[in-house]
């Protein structure tokens, strides 16, 4: 869920700090991140390849907090930006592959591909080979400029490369074949989604079949298991004391799940939880991110199991095309508890 150029079209407060200005809440604005350089007025002709600046960010800018340790170890973080185009914003979900290639989508109808750079210790240090292209519709043309038709909030990639994209407002899931060709609609939950609280989470679900995938609803934290060959059926609902919105999901070995949950309030700012749950949705572990740690409007999650049994978790923030927010990509390594 998002809104382009949020400073001019107010959204709900959980989405971005700047809404306080639209409502005259001066104290909320004062607590927000400082304003940054204005965005370009229009896309800059750059072709598909774009240069992306990656500035390292600390997990705790003011120094690590005291207290109990965590099974989530920070593995590097970046603030991403591009002077080549005004469209490198609004990144809503991502997938990372074994060779460190990644694909991400934006809620203005673009697809971003590239490669992550890691140092000798495996820490995230940069990105390279980045391209940005418009997502095409069934007619072979870029999606309509209308927000209802181009608001992509979720993606999932099958092992064969076929990609699912989940749309909000005009709620639907499309499959894009790896071999190319036009997309086609695939089963999605039969539910009355609110306009801006739709399917924020998509993830392949191989335990339920080779063509199975999970779809998750933002506002109620409900999930469904869908199949390309069958209708969606209700699955787990995430219950508990977590941020209110389910925004992303990925499957883990052994039927476990990684869920990303998010909330916002003027007094606290963004609150993020990475929840590790079992196949029934029962919590195994969690990692909470809030001020004064590095935090923003995180909406995308990707996971990669590692040879030592840990799991690399990447989270990506949607800056809402706002100069008061950032596109952040953070990495954590999660060590499962002993059996």
């Amino acid at each position: 869920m998002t809104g382009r150029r949020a400073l001019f079209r107010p959204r709900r407060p959980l989405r971005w700090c700047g809404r306080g200005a639209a409502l005259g809440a001066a104290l909320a604005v004062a607590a927000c991140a400082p304003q940054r350089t204005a965005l370009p007025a229009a896309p800059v002709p750059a072709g598909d390849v774009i240069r992306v600046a990656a500035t390292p960010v600390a997990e705790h800018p003011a120094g690590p907090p005291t207290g109990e340790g965590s099974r989530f170890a920070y593995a590097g973080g970046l603030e991403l930006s591009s002077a080549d185009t005004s469209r490198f914003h609004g990144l809503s979900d991502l997938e990372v592959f074994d060779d460190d290639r990644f694909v991400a989508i934006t809620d203005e109808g673009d697809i971003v591909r590239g490669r992550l750079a890691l140092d000798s210790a495996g820490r995230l240090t940069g990105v390279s080979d980045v391209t940005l292209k418009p997502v095409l519709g069934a007619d072979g043309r870029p999606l309509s400029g209308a927000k209802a038709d181009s608001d992509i909030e979720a993606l999932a990639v099958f092992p064969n490369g076929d990609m699912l994209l989940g749309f909000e407002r005009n709620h639907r899931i499309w499959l894009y074949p790896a071999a190319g060709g036009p997309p086609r609609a695939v089963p999605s939950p039969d539910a009355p989604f609110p306009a801006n609280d739709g399917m924020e989470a998509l993830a392949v679900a191989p335990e339920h079949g080779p063509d199975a995938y999970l779809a998750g609803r933002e506002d109620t934290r409900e999930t469904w298991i869908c199949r390309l060959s069958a209708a969606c059926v209700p699955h787990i609902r995430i219950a508990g004391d977590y941020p209110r919105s389910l925004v992303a999901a990925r499957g883990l070995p052994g039927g476990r799940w990684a869920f990303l949950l998010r909330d916002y309030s003027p007094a606290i700012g963004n609150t993020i939880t990475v929840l590790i749950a079992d196949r029934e949705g029962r919590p195994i572990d969690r990692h909470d991110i809030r001020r004064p740690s590095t935090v923003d409007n995180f909406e995308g999650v990707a996971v990669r199991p590692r040879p030592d049994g840990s799991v690399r978790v990447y989270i990506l923030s949607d800056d809402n095309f706002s100069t008061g927010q950032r596109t952040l990509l953070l990495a954590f390594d999660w060590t499962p508890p002993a059996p």
Side-chain angles (χ1 to χ4, degrees), residues 12-55:
R12 292 184 302 154
L14 67 87
R15 304 294 297 158
W16 60 288
C17 283
R19 186 181 179 199
L23 299 179
L27 291 177
V29 174
C32 295
Q35 296 293 299
R36 292 174 173 79
T37 303
L39 302 174
V44 177
D48 296 336
V49 178
I50 61 172
R51 294 167 296 175
V52 173
T55 303

Side-chain angles (χ1 to χ4, degrees), residues 128-210:
S128 64
D129 306 324
V130 180
T131 63
L132 185 149
K133 299 180 181 180
V135 174
L136 304 181
D139 59 1
R141 299 180 178 180
L143 295 173
S144 160
K147 186 67 173 178
D149 294 327
S150 60
D151 191 356
I152 309 171
E153 295 290 344
L155 72 82
V157 182
F158 284 107
N160 68 354
D162 289 350
M163 182 168 60
L164 299 175
L165 296 184
F167 294 79
E168 199 169 56
R169 302 172 196 268
N170 180 4
H171 305 288
R172 63 205 190 276
I173 301 174
W174 283 359
L175 183 144
Y176 283 78
R184 71 176 192 273
V186 297
S188 60
D190 182 13
F193 294 111
N196 207 25
D197 267 325
M199 291 175 288
E200 289 269 336
L202 280 179
V204 296
E207 282 208 340
H208 296 268

Side-chain angles (χ1 to χ4, degrees), residues 219-279:
D219 60 338
T220 63
R221 303 184 194 156
E222 295 173 86
T223 68
W224 292 259
I225 294 296
C226 310
R227 298 183 63 176
L228 300 178
S229 56
C232 302
V233 296
H235 190 44
I236 59 177
R237 179 181 179 276
I238 300 170
D241 182 22
Y242 306 112
R244 82 163 196 92
S245 297
L246 170 62
V247 291
R250 286 291 178 262
L252 295 172
R256 293 172 171 176
W257 291 101
F259 294 112
L260 186 66
L261 300 111
R262 179 216 55 216
D263 206 345
Y264 174 83
S265 73
I268 298 174
N270 289 289
T271 302
I272 307 296
T273 293
V274 179
L275 170 65
I276 308 297
D278 67 13
R279 57 171 47 88

Side-chain angles (χ1 to χ4, degrees), residues 119-132:
D119 66 15
S120 59
R123 293 178 63 85
L124 178 66
T125 59
V127 297
S128 64
D129 306 324
V130 180
T131 63
L132 185 149

